[in-house]
Amino acid sequence: MNLRLSTVILPVLRWHEGGRERWQRAEELGFHTAYTYDHLSWRTFRDGPWFGAVPTLTAAAAATERIRLGTLVTSPNFRHPVTLAKELITLDDVSNGRITLGIGAGGNGFDATALRPSDEEPWTPRERADRFGEFLPLLDRLLSEDVVSHDGTHYSASEVRNIPGCVQRPRLPFAVAATGPRGLRLAARHGQAWVTTGDPKLFENGTPEQSFQAIRGQADKLAAACDEIGRDVAELDKILLTGFTPDRPLDSFDAFVDFAGRHAELGFNEIVIHWPLPGTYFGTDEKVFERIAMEAPAQLISGSTGA
């Protein structure tokens, strides 16, 4: 079992008041990747500090040496592929090729309304899927080609230059968040990884077993989407962002090892846990969190080999 453990650091601390130290500690603890959310604001954190993802990751790249960095996830809600591509190429350069772009269609919430007149309705799920279906292939081209032109329904690019391109070739990797058929087809075609948080309908009233079976079904649909285009689903990393299923994997070290081991059986090779934030939904015991970071990967490897 080659299971990687990563973390999400919410961008809520000033850089010189604990922000820098948190990213450096993530590297010290041995996490594979440290991600952050790419939102303008998010849920219960709306009326508190919340910093931008790309500048935060740029600072984190300068403050660390080895750990991968990324977004979970960027969306078209307030991004344009042309400007995003330029920022990502720069970020990939500053980090010396340590960036993963988590990307999805976006959802309702503050990001979906912040740039719109107050009397204008947010995009419907179909509209978000339509935009994502144009956004992602165009971003792929912008990060892979020196000169790109595109005249689409939602996005345009006129002889856009992106030289010298990414440090990572042919471009930095995409981790595509998707559960529906259109998103899964995009993940199959453009992704180097697939991301899920499980089935949101089961979060409050479902059981861990129901969640496990729902995630199994999502993985099966991804495999089918890959089959449609002749791609081996094993080429994609499978990333599970925890915290949005009925399970409670961070209650204890043993609970996490059991949770991670079960989901590894479904093909997941990266589990992402939230950095503790006392007084919030993510108020995990810091000692449990650090023990999971330092000991769980080895425990899972030894368990898979019968040691």
Side-chain angles (χ1 to χ4, degrees):
M1 180 190 304
N2 181 22
L3 186 66
R4 301 189 294 261
L5 184 59
S6 298
T7 190
V8 168
I9 299 174
L10 299 190
V12 297
L13 294 180
R14 289 190 181 275
W15 191 249
H16 298 291
E17 297 176 2
R20 179 203 303 267
E21 289 76 10
R22 188 155 291 182
W23 291 86
Q24 292 174 328
R25 183 58 176 157
E27 183 166 74
E28 291 171 358
L29 288 171
F31 283 109
H32 176 266
T33 303
Y35 298 98
T36 196
Y37 286 173
D38 189 13
H39 292 297
L40 296 174
S41 58
W42 190 66
R43 298 190 182 183
T44 58
F45 296 90
R46 184 181 190 184
D47 293 320
W50 189 274
F51 295 98
V54 173
T56 295
L57 290 170
T58 305
T64 58
E65 297 179 355
R66 302 175 306 280
I67 191 171
R68 289 195 65 82
L69 306 165
T71 57
L72 275 186
V73 296
T74 295
S75 82
N77 269 346
F78 63 96
R79 296 290 189 183
H80 190 286
V82 169
T83 52
L84 178 61
K86 185 65 71 174
E87 292 182 346
L88 291 172
I89 287 171
T90 306
L91 180 55
D92 194 53
D93 182 69
V94 171
S95 70
N96 195 26
R98 290 187 283 137
I99 299 300
T100 295
L101 179 71
I103 187 165
N108 293 321
F110 313 127
D111 294 347
T113 58
L115 303 185
R116 289 159 184 64
S118 59
D119 60 349
E120 184 177 306
E121 292 296 320
W123 298 329
T124 65
R126 180 181 291 276
E127 288 173 318
R128 290 198 301 269
D130 288 343
R131 286 179 176 270
F132 191 44
E134 185 177 341
F135 189 106
L136 190 60
L138 177 54
L139 183 62
D140 194 332
R141 290 185 59 207
L142 288 162
L143 293 173
S144 306
E145 304 173 17
D146 289 344
V147 184
V148 174
S149 291
H150 173 81
D151 186 11
T153 303
H154 304 289
Y155 304 102
S156 297
S158 179
E159 296 188 7
V160 174
R161 266 70 171 172
N162 278 318
I163 301 168
C166 295
V167 173
Q168 301 174 88
R169 292 293 182 175
R171 59 158 169 77
L172 54 81
F174 290 172
V176 181
T179 56
R182 294 175 68 183
L184 289 170
R185 284 195 292 269
L186 287 169
R189 186 168 297 278
H190 298 279
Q192 284 65 58
W194 166 63
V195 183
T196 184
T197 58
D199 186 341
K201 296 190 296 293
L202 298 174
F203 177 47
E204 292 187 356
N205 299 312
T207 67
E209 181 58 30
Q210 288 173 326
S211 174
F212 181 80
Q213 294 304 329
I215 292 172
R216 181 197 295 275
Q218 293 174 355
D220 289 344
K221 291 175 182 177
L222 175 69
C226 287
D227 285 343
E228 287 180 7
I229 62 171
R231 185 177 185 186
D232 184 353
V233 70
E235 294 177 7
L236 278 78
D237 288 335
K238 315 321 186 280
I239 303 173
L240 178 59
L241 174 59
T242 65
F244 305 99
T245 69
D247 313 86
R248 299 186 61 85
L250 300 187
D251 277 358
S252 69
F253 178 81
D254 289 341
F256 177 80
V257 170
D258 179 68
F259 172 89
R262 288 199 72 207
H263 287 82
E265 295 172 2
L266 298 180
F268 286 92
N269 52 7
E270 185 173 344
I271 304 290
V272 186
I273 59 178
H274 289 82
W275 198 280
L277 281 176
T280 74
Y281 172 73
F282 302 115
T284 305
D285 184 286
E286 292 192 18
K287 291 182 179 179
V288 172
F289 174 83
E290 292 212 352
R291 185 185 175 200
I292 288 170
M294 293 185 292
E295 300 180 23
Q299 176 85 11
L300 290 160
I301 291 172
S302 64
S304 68
T305 59

